[in-house]
Amino acid sequence: MTDGYAVRAEALEKRYGEKRALDGFDLAVREGTVHGLLGPNGAGKTTAVRILSTLIRLDGGRATVAGLDVARQSREVRARIGLTGQYAAVDEVLTGRQNLEMFGRLFHLGGRRAKVRAVELLEQFDLTDAADKGVGKYSGGMRRRLDLAASMILAPAVLFLDEPTTGLDPRSRGEVWDSVRALVADGTTVLLTTQYLEEADKLASHITVIDQGRAIADDTPDGLKNLVGGDRIEVVVAERTDIPRAAKVIARVSDGEPETEEGELRVHAPVIDRVSALTEVARTLQDEGVQVEDIGLRRPSLDDVFLRLTGHRTEKHDKNDTNEKYEKHDKNEKHDKGARA
């Protein structure tokens, strides 16, 4: 029984010596959704994914995936999940078809069923035309889609995507997004870790923010943005000496103290009546002879949320995540290697 949740974690703990990678981490992922797991470097994202996918043991708390206990029913959990890491785990010498057939055989489908499943997945991920080309000739987006296809050999109930579009160009990233949406439409639940905030905004219906091993916020993307506030007026001036004048003008219409970013010659503040505020600020700055490079209104972004919740903006790549820093400790843990990395 899942009670409508494909993944649940309650007070998860993971320790590496004196360091707590997870310190009472909670998570609840609804079935049939994309759930984003976001956090700064070293926050514990990858550690959480590895525990939930049974690759490492938890030290405290409890977690279930597809209604199964990850500590007591690890083998059963592996039969219900897929895992795609930060880099494509496909063989570039083989063709796309041969890769999928190989993974099918590794999952004990048998030769005939592995061939059939490879054809199904090549079609599902729009790789049929490239099926018999060597993967070394694939684009980054095609490799990633093939990697996702390999994770779907057994049509898992839950798919863990650990920064699936790291290093991809915008077009390839969009191709992967389309594939993820198609998987969810077919009933798969996706837990997504990413450092691309746009990715979480576009794909995830719910987001958990993790920092220092704990969940510090959990809401929809819009709900998280509302933590920062509503619309903001933003002005970029031409001269640094005009920043105080612009701030004074904005203060007259703002719903809070204006903030300045001197390096970017930018002043911004929250406003309630967005149209009248923009009109008044533009007119007043012009009347006072302040030269403006840009002026406009914008909604808070997830980056603003990160800045508010964690005290700094996210990095584009999470190369120093807690799990990587302590990876040498994981090698000493005894666990079965049934899940794809």
Side-chain angles (χ1 to χ4, degrees), residues 295-309:
I295 183 171
L297 293 162
R298 68 178 179 87
R299 288 277 294 159
S301 67
L302 286 180
D303 203 31
D304 296 321
V305 174
F306 264 79
L307 186 61
R308 174 69 61 84
L309 293 176

Side-chain angles (χ1 to χ4, degrees), residues 128-147:
T128 300
D129 291 343
D132 297 311
K133 292 181 181 179
V135 174
K137 298 179 180 180
Y138 280 22
S139 68
M142 292 169 67
R143 282 193 187 92
R144 217 50 173 121
R145 296 203 321 266
L146 181 65
D147 200 38

Side-chain angles (χ1 to χ4, degrees), residues 127 139-146 168-169 172-173 175-176:
L127 291 169
S139 68
M142 292 169 67
R143 282 193 187 92
R144 217 50 173 121
R145 296 203 321 266
L146 181 65
L168 296 185
D169 59 70
S172 297
R173 194 174 301 139
E175 293 174 350
V176 174

Side-chain angles (χ1 to χ4, degrees), residues 97 100 109 113-128 149 152-153 155:
R97 187 190 308 276
L100 294 180
L109 291 185
R113 179 55 185 150
K115 291 179 182 292
V116 172
R117 186 58 178 151
V119 171
E120 294 172 348
L121 290 168
L122 288 166
E123 182 176 353
Q124 180 179 349
F125 286 87
D126 195 24
L127 291 169
T128 300
M152 296 296 294
I153 290 288

Side-chain angles (χ1 to χ4, degrees), residues 229-341:
D231 294 306
R232 300 181 72 85
I233 189 168
E234 184 176 277
V235 173
V236 178
V237 296
E239 301 292 338
R240 187 180 303 275
T241 54
D242 284 330
I243 290 177
R245 298 170 64 191
K248 185 176 180 180
V249 171
I250 291 176
R252 299 173 190 170
V253 300
S254 68
D255 189 41
E257 192 70 23
E259 299 178 28
T260 62
E261 299 175 22
E262 293 198 10
E264 299 181 7
L265 306 182
R266 190 187 314 273
V267 183
H268 53 92
V271 293
I272 297 177
D273 192 341
R274 59 199 307 268
V275 176
S276 64
L278 180 62
T279 302
E280 182 176 343
V281 168
R283 183 180 62 248
T284 304
L285 290 174
Q286 184 178 34
D287 291 345
E288 295 188 6
V290 177
Q291 187 175 350
V292 174
E293 293 291 331
D294 190 24
I295 183 171
L297 293 162
R298 68 178 179 87
R299 288 277 294 159
S301 67
L302 286 180
D303 203 31
D304 296 321
V305 174
F306 264 79
L307 186 61
R308 174 69 61 84
L309 293 176
T310 68
H312 54 81
R313 299 187 185 277
T314 56
E315 302 294 334
K316 288 186 177 180
H317 302 292
D318 193 18
K319 293 181 179 179
N320 298 315
D321 196 7
T322 300
N323 196 83
E324 293 191 13
K325 289 193 286 185
Y326 297 96
E327 187 174 1
K328 61 182 179 180
H329 293 276
D330 294 341
K331 294 179 181 179
N332 296 324
E333 298 210 31
K334 294 180 181 179
H335 60 270
D336 296 317
K337 299 180 180 179
R340 290 186 66 249

Side-chain angles (χ1 to χ4, degrees), residues 5-313:
Y5 289 92
V7 178
R8 276 191 178 276
E10 300 173 358
L12 282 192
E13 294 184 5
K14 183 62 182 177
R15 296 180 295 275
Y16 296 99
E18 297 299 319
K19 174 69 176 180
R20 287 181 176 268
L22 293 179
D23 188 15
F25 175 64
D26 296 319
L27 179 69
V29 180
R30 289 192 176 276
E31 293 178 339
T33 66
V34 178
H35 191 112
L37 182 58
L38 307 183
N41 291 344
K45 301 184 301 296
T46 299
T47 300
V49 167
R50 290 192 178 182
I51 286 176
L52 294 170
S53 58
T54 77
L55 291 178
I56 59 176
R57 295 191 302 262
L58 54 83
D59 292 326
R62 182 174 181 271
T64 59
V65 174
L68 301 166
D69 189 285
V70 298
R72 294 186 293 103
Q73 299 170 286
S74 58
R75 290 185 180 276
E76 292 89 339
V77 169
R78 291 181 196 127
R80 304 294 305 278
I81 66 172
L83 171 63
T84 297
Q86 295 180 19
Y87 304 100
V90 291
D91 191 318
E92 295 192 358
V93 175
L94 301 178
T95 67
R97 187 190 308 276
Q98 289 170 336
N99 266 280
L100 294 180
E101 290 179 2
M102 175 185 70
F103 282 117
R105 296 293 293 269
L106 290 173
F107 278 104
H108 309 292
L109 291 185
R112 180 176 299 178
R113 179 55 185 150
K115 291 179 182 292
V116 172
R117 186 58 178 151
V119 171
E120 294 172 348
L121 290 168
L122 288 166
E123 182 176 353
Q124 180 179 349
F125 286 87
D126 195 24
L127 291 169
T128 300
D129 291 343
D132 297 311
K133 292 181 181 179
V135 174
K137 298 179 180 180
Y138 280 22
S139 68
M142 292 169 67
R143 282 193 187 92
R144 217 50 173 121
R145 296 203 321 266
L146 181 65
D147 200 38
L148 285 172
S151 298
M152 296 296 294
I153 290 288
L154 297 182
V158 180
L159 178 62
F160 296 100
L161 299 182
D162 191 11
E163 301 195 29
T165 60
T166 295
L168 296 185
D169 59 70
R171 180 178 179 180
S172 297
R173 194 174 301 139
E175 293 174 350
V176 174
W177 291 354
D178 289 340
S179 296
V180 172
R181 292 187 184 104
L183 294 177
V184 176
D186 287 340
T188 296
T189 301
V190 173
L191 179 61
L192 167 75
T193 76
T194 180
Q195 283 287 329
Y196 296 110
L197 300 179
E198 180 190 13
E199 183 164 81
D201 210 355
K202 289 184 177 296
L203 287 179
S205 58
H206 212 89
I207 293 172
T208 298
V209 181
I210 180 175
D211 194 19
Q212 298 182 358
R214 294 183 178 182
I216 59 174
D218 186 90
D219 208 335
T220 64
D222 285 341
L224 290 176
K225 292 172 188 176
N226 287 337
L227 293 174
V228 179
D231 294 306
R232 300 181 72 85
I233 189 168
E234 184 176 277
V235 173
V236 178
V237 296
E239 301 292 338
R240 187 180 303 275
T241 54
D242 284 330
I243 290 177
R245 298 170 64 191
K248 185 176 180 180
V249 171
I250 291 176
R252 299 173 190 170
V253 300
S254 68
D255 189 41
E257 192 70 23
E259 299 178 28
T260 62
E261 299 175 22
E262 293 198 10
E264 299 181 7
L265 306 182
R266 190 187 314 273
V267 183
H268 53 92
V271 293
I272 297 177
D273 192 341
R274 59 199 307 268
V275 176
S276 64
L278 180 62
T279 302
E280 182 176 343
V281 168
R283 183 180 62 248
T284 304
L285 290 174
Q286 184 178 34
D287 291 345
E288 295 188 6
V290 177
Q291 187 175 350
V292 174
E293 293 291 331
D294 190 24
I295 183 171
L297 293 162
R298 68 178 179 87
R299 288 277 294 159
S301 67
L302 286 180
D303 203 31
D304 296 321
V305 174
F306 264 79
L307 186 61
R308 174 69 61 84
L309 293 176
T310 68
H312 54 81
R313 299 187 185 277

